[in-house]
Amino acid sequence: MKQLLLEPCFIFILLVISVTNTPTCLCVDDASYTNCSNAFSCGNNNFNLKYPFWGENRGNYCGGGPNLESEKLTCEAQVPKITINLIKYRVLGWENTSQILKVARDDYWDNNNICVNGDRNSTFDNSPFQYDYDGLVNVTLFYDCPASFSPSTIPSLPPSTVFSFPCGGGSFVYYTAQALPSSYEAPCKIVVIPIFQTNNDSLENSERIIEALQGGFEIEWTGNYEKCEKCTGSGGECGSVDGNFQCFCKDGPHSASCKERQKVYNNSHCSTNLIRPL
Ligand SMILES: *[C@@H]1O[C@H](CO)[C@@H](O)[C@H](O)[C@H]1NC(C)=O
Ligand SMILES: *[C@@H]1O[C@H](CO)[C@@H](O)[C@H](O)[C@H]1NC(C)=O
Ligand SMILES: *[C@@H]1O[C@H](CO)[C@@H](O)[C@H](O)[C@H]1NC(C)=O
Ligand SMILES: *[C@@H]1O[C@H](CO)[C@@H](O)[C@H](O)[C@H]1NC(C)=O
Ligand SMILES: *[C@@H]1O[C@H](CO)[C@@H](O)[C@H](O)[C@H]1NC(C)=O
Ligand SMILES: *[C@@H]1O[C@H](CO)[C@@H](O)[C@H](O)[C@H]1NC(C)=O
């Protein structure tokens, strides 16, 4: 009897609470937002590697696409690395204002590797990166040259501009920072690696060529970074889902900016209206 009398009253109270309950959101920040708000963590650099990069502590949705695999970073012995078209690079810097990534070939990093890596040029085809040749000089390395080869056999190139790196057993890797004559077909395998013009000094010294290769070169991320700037300007963190740009905000993902009304999907983790009538 007492119970029956109380019940409608209880429901009424619930209704009042529910109606006056303005949607105070007992939210935790969106998980994607939180995840992508952390820069790539590796070693003690301050490169601030965020969008379009992902890997390790950053989920793949923090990447830019369209070729996510080439934006994936790994951390090896405290060194951030990126693998593009099967070649691994050390990341030496990133400027988010110009989207310039500074990299050096990992396979040429250690001192004598220059002797054994005659098989691959760096290519950025089908990746969101491309060379930025501003301030760069191509170094051409000659591998597996026949005994008949010598720098003087390269037409219209002063032999004094072609240097040699001793690889033991009387074998050499030849290299030059000069452009080869376009018609020239070397009897050797050729690998071309850009270096900074500022590193194009005293390359006849074989230690210097290693230093110059370790100095790396610049490539540019060619995706649409303006979208990201718009997103971060509104307090969001950039990422992508299925190749589409996403702006992850504290209240969930938006398509472009945290200021727009329409969210990409329902904010299911946000528990508004905890108390409902029945
Ligand atoms: C972000 O997400 C990735 C992939 O799911 C995960 O490995 C990583 O631990 C997350 N990082 C943080 C800080 O939550
Ligand atoms: C590297 O590129 C040069 C031209 O830029 C080419 O002559 C050479 O054959 C290429 N080397 C390899 C290993 O593909
Ligand atoms: C380096 O070589 C590439 C391809 O072989 C060429 O497109 C580029 O212009 C060269 N860069 C410089 C600075 O000579
Ligand atoms: C690199 O340096 C050599 C001399 O050390 C010079 O002859 C050459 O022109 C330089 N190359 C470029 C592209 O600056
Ligand atoms: C670029 O980097 C600076 C400082 O490292 C940071 O404050 C800014 O938010 C970044 N811009 C974007 C669009 O991520
Ligand atoms: C949000 O979810 C509810 C229930 O799951 C659904 O009825 C509603 O249409 C969704 N709203 C949007 C904008 O997707």
Side-chain angles (χ1 to χ4, degrees):
M1 190 64 195
K2 208 177 179 191
Q3 280 259 273
L4 279 175
L5 273 173
L6 267 176
E7 207 167 317
C9 176
F10 184 58
I11 289 167
F12 177 70
I13 289 166
L14 279 184
L15 270 171
V16 167
I17 292 171
S18 169
V19 165
T20 55
N21 181 21
T22 49
T24 44
C25 194
L26 307 178
C27 291
V28 286
D29 286 348
D30 179 76
S32 305
Y33 167 87
T34 308
N35 194 291
C36 302
S37 66
N38 295 306
F40 183 72
S41 158
C42 177
N44 54 7
N45 64 73
N46 56 356
F47 300 156
N48 195 25
L49 292 155
K50 290 172 86 175
Y51 183 86
F53 304 104
W54 64 283
E56 312 279 355
N57 63 311
R58 288 172 59 79
N60 62 1
Y61 46 84
C62 307
N67 183 341
L68 266 188
E69 270 319 298
S70 58
E71 292 161 344
K72 179 180 181 176
L73 300 173
T74 55
C75 186
E76 294 173 31
Q78 312 281 298
V79 179
K81 298 187 183 179
I82 189 166
T83 301
I84 306 169
N85 291 345
L86 303 176
I87 295 185
K88 194 183 279 180
Y89 302 89
R90 292 175 168 242
V91 174
L92 306 180
W94 164 247
E95 281 171 31
N96 73 2
T97 44
S98 54
Q99 295 86 58
I100 297 285
L101 186 69
K102 191 169 156 191
V103 294
R105 280 181 65 150
D106 196 41
D107 54 354
Y108 277 86
W109 189 264
D110 292 322
N111 278 6
N112 286 317
N113 282 5
I114 189 171
C115 290
V116 293
N117 283 302
D119 57 349
R120 261 190 239 150
N121 287 321
S122 296
T123 64
F124 299 99
D125 306 342
N126 304 315
S127 90
F129 297 95
Q130 67 182 19
Y131 278 117
D132 174 17
Y133 280 113
D134 255 9
L136 298 183
V137 176
N138 283 329
V139 168
T140 304
L141 300 132
F142 299 78
Y143 287 91
D144 300 338
C145 294
S148 60
F149 175 86
S150 82
S152 61
T153 62
I154 307 175
S156 67
L157 211 59
S160 63
T161 62
V162 183
F163 312 116
S164 60
F165 186 96
C167 291
S171 74
F172 295 92
V173 167
Y174 295 93
Y175 59 92
T176 182
Q178 306 285 334
L180 300 184
S182 55
S183 58
Y184 176 66
E185 289 197 26
C188 328
K189 283 199 277 179
I190 280 179
V191 172
V192 181
I193 303 181
I195 60 168
F196 284 105
Q197 197 137 23
T198 49
N199 280 331
N200 177 28
D201 245 355
S202 336
L203 288 187
E204 69 275 12
N205 173 343
S206 54
E207 275 169 34
R208 278 288 303 132
I209 180 64
I210 291 172
E211 280 172 27
L213 292 173
Q214 289 178 341
F217 56 91
E218 290 178 334
I219 54 178
E220 186 181 358
W221 186 74
T222 59
N224 186 338
Y225 203 76
E226 283 166 21
K227 283 189 180 177
C228 183
E229 285 165 344
K230 187 178 173 205
C231 169
T232 55
S234 73
E237 296 292 343
C238 311
S240 66
V241 171
D242 297 332
N244 295 315
F245 182 82
Q246 299 276 280
C247 185
F248 297 118
C249 306
K250 289 185 178 180
D251 67 350
H254 294 235
S255 61
S257 142
C258 300
K259 290 189 179 125
E260 72 198 348
R261 219 164 258 216
Q262 189 64 42
K263 264 182 278 163
V264 170
Y265 58 68
N266 266 340
N267 200 356
S268 52
H269 61 269
C270 180
S271 33
T272 52
N273 295 326
L274 279 176
I275 307 166
R276 287 172 188 280
L278 295 179

